[in-house]
Each structure stands twice: as C-alpha cells, then as structure tokens.
C-alpha cells in the first residue's frame, strides 16, 4: 500500500525509497503525514488491494481499560536528533548531515539563529504537502544518495528520496524501545508481524531482541532496502520473513490458515493505490484490518500497535476503535501521540516538542 508516515518511497499494503500518507507506492518516493488536530508525518503510499467488506459486529465482553492521553516522547538517540523547528520547518541531524524539511506542525518561530539553519547539508524543496514530490538541494557539496545510520544498535541506510523522507521515522523510537523491552521480558519464543514494514528498522529491532519476524510491505523497493539494512545490521541469519504483498490479503490468508502472532505492528497509510488499481482508504478499511489483526493474535499476545499519520482526526477516534476491537480481551488500550523533543545543536539541550502522529496500543496488562 509505509509511511499518501505518503510513514514513507517503497513506511504494503507497503514503503524504501520513502513513505507516508501514501498516495504513491512506497518504492517511488518516501512516506506519512499527520492530521489536522493532531500530528503529522508521511511516506509514499503503499498500495493496498481492496478487500470485500468485512461484516463487523459489536463483540461480546467488556472493553479493555483505558490509559489516555499517553504522550510517547522520543529524544536524541543514536545518529538522530531534532536540532530546532519553527516557521513550518524542522532542522534535524541524521548522522553527519544536518537536514531541513517542511514541517506544518512547527507553528512557532525558530529558536536558533539563521546561520545555524544556513549551515544545513541538505534542504528539501518542492510541494508543501506531505505526499508532494520535490527535490533535495545540497548547498555546500553534492551528497550521495545513501549514507549509514544507526539507532538502537541497528545499522541501516538513510536515503534522500523524492518525497522528503530519509528511510526512518525517529518518533517510532518510543515504539521500538517498547518492542525490544517487551520481547526480552517475555523470555519465550515471540512471533512478531510488522505490517507496512517499510525499510525494516522495527523488524530488525524485534529480530535483534530474539523474535521471529514476518515483515510485510507491498513495495519491492521497500523490501530491497530492508534487506540491505538487514545485512548492514549483521542480522543475515535472523529469522525474518520478507514478504512483498498487499497487507490485507496477507492477514486474511493468515486468518484462514490459523497462523497467530504475539505482537502485531501496523502502520497503514491514509490512502494507497495498488499496482492493479486497488484502493485503500484508512477510514473505510481500518476497522476491518484491526478486526483481522485481533483474530490472528495468539492467546498469550503481548501487544497490538497502531500508528496513524496524515489523518484529520483526534487520537480518540482510533482509541475507541481499538477498545471496541479488543472487547473481551481484558488488558488495556493506551492511546495518544508520538512526539519528538528538540535537543539543540549538542543533542542534549531540551527544547520544544514536535507532534508527529497518533497511536493506539493494546497491551494485556
């Protein structure tokens, strides 16, 4: 179908040259955007095939407890930090490079002086919409298409894509940290399904923690990028299945076959169009997708995580959907926003917080 995050190029219904509010297949650019009343991010669209309307009925049982609002904050980590933001832009550090990109959520003035911003190595110019294509300008010297990065001990490639994204969405660090800690704490075999897996960083975090991972993305470019990242992270022998397929088709088949997963991550685009004209609309198809995800959770499941970019909605909309979906499962649904905090030029000076996306997460306790 990734992240019209267009969560980000090839974000699978899919994402690696980019992704998010994915109106374009994830392999042709990058990815996801945000919603009006909440965060934003984007990646190139992951095509998703239309599915037959699944009949949804109110499930029996009590709804899970709720924890809202929950703000999951990511700060400087590994090769990334948010230096400054403002005036509709953000200044970030990815490894050796300072990068300027549009950021509609940054309504405030910039905190750092102009000469800091003027020293950027790469600036994205073009369409101001998250799913709009544009080009990179390199004010100081021409840079290569890719460069090495590392987060949470996972090595991967950054890439300048035509959709402004670089192959990773650092606000997801909060989810990846939870994922790693949850897998390690289980002390038992854990099967993880990563839908709309994009460039595979989450899949590699899960595999490095000891999980058996199934990574699904509809973009061949995204899968290729993810495999490159697997080699860079020296996880060639890790139990990861890379599946290039429409996400809905895949989970429908898994349901029929009776396959189950202990943790499911799903990061769907707002809109996606598949190779054969199939259409995915988040508001139309998300309820059915979550319904199937519930069915393929194992009896001893540890979590179901949904991230939503580029939508005009409150986090409460996906929060209530998740609680209805998980009726009778006990546990709790915690929902809110993913945010990134500025940390200045040194990566250590706390500043303002930039909202990036909505999320909802069911956990068994």
């Amino acid at each position: 179908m990734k992240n019209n995050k267009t969560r980000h190029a090839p974000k699978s219904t899919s994402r690696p040259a980019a992704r998010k509010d994915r109106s374009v297949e994830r392999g042709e650019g990058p990815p996801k955007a945000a919603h009006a009343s909440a965060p934003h991010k984007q990646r190139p669209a992951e095509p998703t095939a239309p599915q037959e309307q699944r009949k949804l009925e109110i499930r029996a049982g009590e709804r899970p407890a709720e924890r809202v609002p929950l703000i999951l904050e990511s700060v400087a980590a590994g090769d990334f930090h948010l230096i400054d933001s403002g005036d509709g832009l953000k200044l970030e550090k990815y490894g050796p490079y300072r990068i300027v990109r549009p950021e509609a959520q940054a309504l405030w003035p910039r905190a750092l002086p102009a000469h800091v911003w003027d020293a950027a190595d790469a600036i994205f110019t073009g369409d101001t919409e998250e799913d709009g294509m544009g080009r990179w300008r390199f004010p100081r010297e021409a840079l290569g298409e890719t460069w090495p990065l590392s987060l949470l001990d996972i090595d991967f490639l950054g890439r300048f894509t035509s959709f402004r994204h670089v192959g990773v969405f650092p606000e997801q660090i909060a989810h990846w940290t939870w994922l790693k800690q949850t897998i390690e704490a289980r002390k038992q075999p854990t099967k993880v399904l990563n839908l709309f897996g994009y460039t595979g960083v989450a899949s590699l975090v899960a595999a490095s923690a000891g999980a058996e991972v199934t990574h699904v993305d509809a973009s061949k470019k995204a899968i290729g990028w993810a495999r490159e990242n697997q080699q860079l992270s020296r996880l060639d022998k890790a139990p990861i299945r890379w599946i290039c397929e429409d996400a809905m088709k895949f989970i429908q088949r898994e349901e029929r076959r009776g396959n189950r997963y202990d943790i499911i991550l799903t990061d769907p685009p707002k809109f996606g169009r598949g190779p054969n004209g199939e259409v995915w609309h988040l508001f139309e198809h998300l309820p059915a997708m979550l319904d199937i995800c519930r069915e393929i959770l194992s009896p001893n499941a540890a979590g179901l995580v949904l991230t939503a970019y580029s939508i005009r909605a409150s986090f409460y909309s996906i929060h209530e959907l998740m609680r209805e979906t998980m009726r009778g499962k006990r546990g709790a649904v915690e929902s809110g926003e993913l945010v990134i905090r500025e940390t200045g030029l040194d990566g250590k000076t706390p500043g303002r917080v930039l909202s990036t996306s909505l999320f909802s997460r069911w956990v068994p306790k």
Side-chain angles (χ1 to χ4, degrees):
M1 265 191 346
K2 128 321 150 49
N3 56 108
N4 312 114
K5 105 37 144 218
T6 305
R7 263 165 150 240
H8 340 201
K11 129 154 192 253
S12 156
T13 7
S14 146
R15 35 182 170 168
R19 126 182 179 175
K20 282 192 185 220
D21 193 345
R22 317 157 211 192
S23 316
V24 233
E25 182 185 12
R26 281 192 191 182
E28 301 308 321
K32 287 176 177 176
H35 53 298
S37 57
H40 107 221
K41 151 184 173 181
Q42 214 162 333
R43 16 177 181 187
E46 300 176 352
T48 257
Q51 68 270 15
E52 295 180 4
Q53 283 296 333
R54 185 184 183 94
K55 185 175 181 180
L56 299 177
E57 299 178 355
I58 295 180
R59 292 177 176 274
E62 294 296 319
R63 298 196 299 168
E66 59 181 337
R67 300 177 190 138
V68 291
L70 182 62
I71 305 301
L72 297 183
E73 180 180 308
S74 295
V75 293
D79 286 339
F80 167 81
H81 73 268
L82 175 62
I83 300 172
D84 191 19
S85 61
D87 300 324
L89 297 169
K90 57 185 173 183
L91 174 62
E92 305 160 287
K93 185 88 181 302
Y94 285 95
Y97 302 141
R98 294 184 192 176
I99 294 173
V100 175
R101 296 187 290 170
E103 179 48 73
Q105 300 278 351
L107 303 176
W108 44 84
R110 306 178 200 182
L112 295 178
H115 70 82
V116 173
W117 286 74
D118 292 342
D121 299 287
I123 300 172
F124 184 87
T125 59
D127 198 314
T128 56
E129 295 298 321
E130 275 289 345
D131 57 345
M133 295 183 68
R135 65 185 183 85
W136 289 92
R137 181 166 61 84
F138 305 107
R140 306 171 72 180
E141 61 179 327
L143 302 178
E145 180 190 3
T146 65
W147 72 99
L149 290 170
S150 181
L151 283 176
L152 300 184
D153 297 323
I154 297 300
D155 296 325
F156 58 97
L157 287 176
R159 177 173 273 121
F160 293 112
T161 71
S162 59
F163 286 84
R164 87 184 60 191
H165 303 291
V166 296
V168 63
F169 297 94
E171 61 271 23
Q172 293 280 345
I173 291 171
H175 280 331
W176 298 338
T177 301
W178 170 86
L179 178 66
K180 177 180 173 65
Q181 293 173 346
T182 300
I183 293 169
E184 292 175 344
R186 281 169 60 84
K187 300 184 185 304
Q188 61 182 294
T190 301
K191 294 178 65 176
V192 172
L193 173 60
N194 186 12
L195 295 172
F196 311 93
Y198 193 31
T199 57
V201 179
S203 296
L204 295 172
V205 168
S208 69
E212 176 185 332
V213 182
T214 299
H215 172 110
V216 180
D217 198 289
S219 166
K220 290 182 179 179
K221 287 187 178 181
I223 295 292
W225 192 345
R227 284 183 177 278
E228 286 184 88
N229 291 339
Q230 181 182 23
Q231 293 180 339
L232 284 174
S233 290
R234 299 166 298 285
L235 290 169
D236 308 66
K237 296 182 180 179
I240 305 176
R241 290 195 300 158
W242 303 105
I243 298 179
C244 186
E245 187 176 359
D246 174 83
M248 283 297 292
K249 286 183 177 178
F250 178 80
I251 60 175
Q252 287 169 336
R253 189 172 64 251
E254 293 294 270
E255 182 183 22
R256 291 193 300 269
R257 291 178 175 176
N259 291 332
R260 299 292 181 263
Y261 297 88
D262 302 304
I263 298 174
I264 299 177
L265 310 176
T266 182
D267 185 8
K270 180 175 72 174
F271 174 82
R273 189 176 295 280
N276 299 312
E278 308 93 337
V279 174
W280 159 273
H281 287 291
L282 184 73
F283 287 105
E284 291 180 29
H285 302 137
L286 182 60
M289 171 170 280
L290 280 185
D291 194 67
I292 299 170
C293 285
R294 176 197 163 119
E295 291 302 312
I296 60 176
L297 281 172
S298 69
N300 192 32
L304 169 59
V305 181
L306 166 68
T307 307
Y309 294 89
S310 308
I311 66 172
R312 296 177 181 276
S314 160
F315 74 83
Y316 260 113
S317 61
I318 58 175
H319 173 73
E320 296 294 3
L321 172 60
M322 183 71 83
R323 291 188 76 207
E324 287 295 334
T325 300
M326 302 307 289
R327 271 185 182 273
K329 276 283 192 180
R330 299 181 182 277
V333 171
E334 39 196 37
S335 308
E337 298 187 12
L338 297 182
V339 304
I340 300 178
R341 185 172 294 280
E342 298 171 347
T343 51
L345 275 171
D346 60 2
K348 300 177 182 178
T349 305
R352 298 161 301 195
V353 163
L354 184 64
S355 179
T356 64
S357 64
L358 309 177
F359 80 91
S360 186
R361 181 171 70 191
W362 171 83
V363 291
K365 296 180 181 179

